Amino acid sequence: MTSQAYQDRYEQLLAQDMYSLNTAEKEGALLPVIQALHQHHKLHSPAYSRLVQHYRDQPDTIEDVPFLAVRLFKLFSLSSISDDDVFRVLQSSGTTSQTPAKVILDRITSARQSKALVKIMQNFIGKQRLPLLVIDAPSVLKNKALSARAAGIQGMAFFGRQTVYALNDDMTLNTDALNSFQKLYADQPVLVFGFTFMVWTCFLEALKAQKLSLSLPHGALIHSGGWKKLTDKQVDNPTFKREVTRLTGIPRVHNFYGMAEQVGTVFVECEQGHLHVPEMADILIRDPYSLAVCENKTQGLIQVISSIPTSYPGFSLLTEDVGRVLGQDDCSCGRSGKYFEVLGRLPKTEVRGCSDTQVSV
Ligand SMILES: [Zn+2]
């Protein structure tokens, strides 16, 4: 059961343009939704209720909203719905040494995620559905448990038509598919989507190795999934963009920051290379030791706040990612609100050290 107060306020928020309110106006619009979510999860998730029992009854500001460590979703199955209402369980793509996070979704949360993603992305790629090239293999959608990778592709499919997969099931380039996609759509806008590391290794490096290139001069590439593995290869965002354009002709490249624990609220990179905070979400940067909110431009741990989830208590999460707010309301792309950058992850040993002793549900 979702409270009517939450539902009404959420609908109002979604009806807005995602980047028109300034930071002060945005907090005014977002806070009541987040307060309603806090009450909702206190009522419906015994684990959340215990975790926040020492907080005041109602947060007065966004900064006061309690937050959970994102890794709790790897350790526990946190839910605010009855088992009968579970629509799907989303699993983050953990590596073999990592336990994947489990995110419990009901139909309404899942629908809200899709709608929000559409609303946010339309601001960057327009409303028209475009031919879609997915930098992945078709088999990714066949696994029974919905992986974050599959969920991302399903989410982007809302913007696409005539979807073509660029890779074979063994992750090699499907050159026939690429050639026919290029032949059909070289003269018109197309959308290309993939996970950052796969775009680099399975697509760009593979094109290079086979001395191939594409010509999609009206294309836009949307990609996500973290820079950690690419930083190890010494590939930064400008290098990535340059290589995309050189090897595929695609002039527009938008990275976005988002996570399996908060599907739907994505932070998309604008034409200036800044990640923007939409009106239905917020970002706070916290000092990793004191957990106090940092001034703009100071780096710290990223806290993500989303107005979407009612089926699991993950609307305010402290991530293990390091970033900093670069500014607010004055990006030259014209979008209002905060903009930020992600600088990497907290070293693993440090995270284990504190969370092992502090986590208890
Ligand atoms: Zn911008």
Side-chain angles (χ1 to χ4, degrees):
M1 274 288 284
T2 310
S3 83
Q4 198 56 43
Y6 163 77
Q7 194 57 36
D8 293 347
R9 287 180 168 137
Y10 177 79
E11 293 297 334
Q12 283 170 18
L13 205 56
L14 190 72
Q16 315 246 18
D17 177 277
M18 282 293 120
Y19 305 96
S20 61
L21 300 181
N22 67 36
T23 302
E25 293 166 337
K26 180 251 192 74
E27 174 151 353
L30 185 65
L31 183 63
V33 183
I34 300 300
Q35 286 173 328
L37 276 179
H38 174 65
Q39 296 303 335
H40 167 85
H41 291 295
K42 269 198 350 189
L43 205 58
H44 297 284
S45 163
Y48 181 77
S49 175
R50 277 200 300 281
L51 281 161
V52 300
Q53 62 186 327
H54 298 301
Y55 279 87
R56 69 188 77 168
D57 184 49
Q58 187 69 296
D60 296 327
T61 63
I62 291 287
E63 284 189 19
D64 283 342
V65 175
F67 47 87
L68 307 187
V70 73
R71 71 180 348 244
L72 282 179
F73 288 85
K74 292 191 168 73
L75 302 169
F76 304 101
S77 185
L78 298 172
S79 173
S80 304
I81 52 174
S82 71
D83 291 350
D84 294 344
D85 289 329
V86 175
F87 169 54
R88 60 172 34 156
V89 177
L90 179 65
Q91 297 214 334
S92 71
S93 45
T95 56
T96 41
S97 60
Q98 252 184 348
T99 328
K102 276 204 320 196
V103 183
I104 313 270
L105 301 175
D106 59 3
R107 278 182 189 279
I108 189 160
T109 300
S110 179
R112 241 184 254 126
Q113 291 178 337
S114 309
K115 262 186 146 174
L117 182 72
V118 168
K119 183 92 199 216
I120 293 169
M121 282 293 175
Q122 279 179 344
N123 195 282
F124 295 86
I125 56 180
K127 287 193 172 171
Q128 207 193 349
R129 291 183 82 137
L130 301 172
L132 174 65
L133 179 66
V134 175
I135 312 299
D136 211 315
S139 59
V140 66
L141 296 179
K142 289 183 191 137
N143 287 337
K144 239 183 158 189
L146 189 72
S147 67
R149 234 169 86 199
I153 292 167
Q154 281 187 357
M156 287 307 290
F158 282 99
F159 305 94
R161 54 187 173 86
Q162 289 114 0
T163 302
V164 169
Y165 288 82
L167 306 181
N168 298 307
D169 283 343
D170 64 359
M171 304 315 266
T172 55
L173 277 185
N174 185 339
T175 44
D176 290 343
L178 287 171
N179 281 333
S180 57
F181 188 86
Q182 173 178 245
K183 218 181 241 170
L184 281 168
Y185 306 121
D187 300 328
Q188 66 178 82
V190 295
L191 193 59
V192 182
F193 172 71
F195 289 89
T196 311
F197 185 68
M198 290 178 61
V199 172
W200 182 264
T201 51
C202 304
F203 186 55
L204 299 176
E205 284 191 335
L207 284 171
K208 227 184 322 185
Q210 296 180 44
K211 299 197 166 38
L212 296 172
S213 63
L214 294 171
S215 174
L216 297 168
H218 307 287
L221 169 69
I222 307 285
H223 69 103
S224 180
W227 289 96
K228 172 81 182 70
K229 287 183 196 158
L230 285 187
T231 316
D232 294 347
K233 287 177 164 241
Q234 315 223 305
V235 179
D236 57 9
N237 198 5
T239 310
F240 185 91
K241 284 185 178 172
R242 203 171 49 237
E243 286 298 279
V244 169
T245 310
R246 188 173 75 82
L247 290 161
T248 68
I250 296 171
R252 287 169 53 210
V253 181
H254 296 280
N255 177 33
F256 72 83
Y257 176 66
M259 57 202 70
E261 294 81 357
Q262 282 190 355
V263 171
T265 35
V266 289
F267 306 94
V268 186
E269 178 190 11
C270 73
E271 299 73 10
Q272 306 300 320
H274 300 146
L275 297 166
H276 276 269
V277 180
E279 278 158 24
M280 60 192 335
D282 209 351
I283 287 280
L284 295 172
I285 304 294
R286 292 191 180 270
D287 181 280
Y289 301 103
S290 70
L291 297 181
V293 173
C294 300
E295 301 273 307
N296 285 359
K297 300 210 162 69
T298 304
Q299 66 180 64
L301 289 177
I302 300 174
Q303 179 190 347
V304 286
I305 294 172
S306 167
S307 54
I308 292 178
T310 48
S311 59
Y312 64 97
F315 64 100
S316 172
L317 299 171
L318 188 66
T319 72
E320 292 164 9
D321 298 323
V322 176
R324 58 181 185 147
V325 171
L326 296 168
Q328 53 200 50
D329 309 324
D330 61 358
C331 182
S332 54
C333 74
R335 292 176 182 85
S336 277
K338 280 181 204 171
Y339 52 96
F340 68 105
E341 67 176 347
V342 179
L343 296 159
R345 306 212 80 183
L346 203 63
K348 278 234 164 56
T349 46
E350 218 169 322
V351 179
R352 276 199 202 111
C354 50
S355 56
D356 283 354
T357 54
Q358 286 177 358
V359 171
S360 62
V361 174

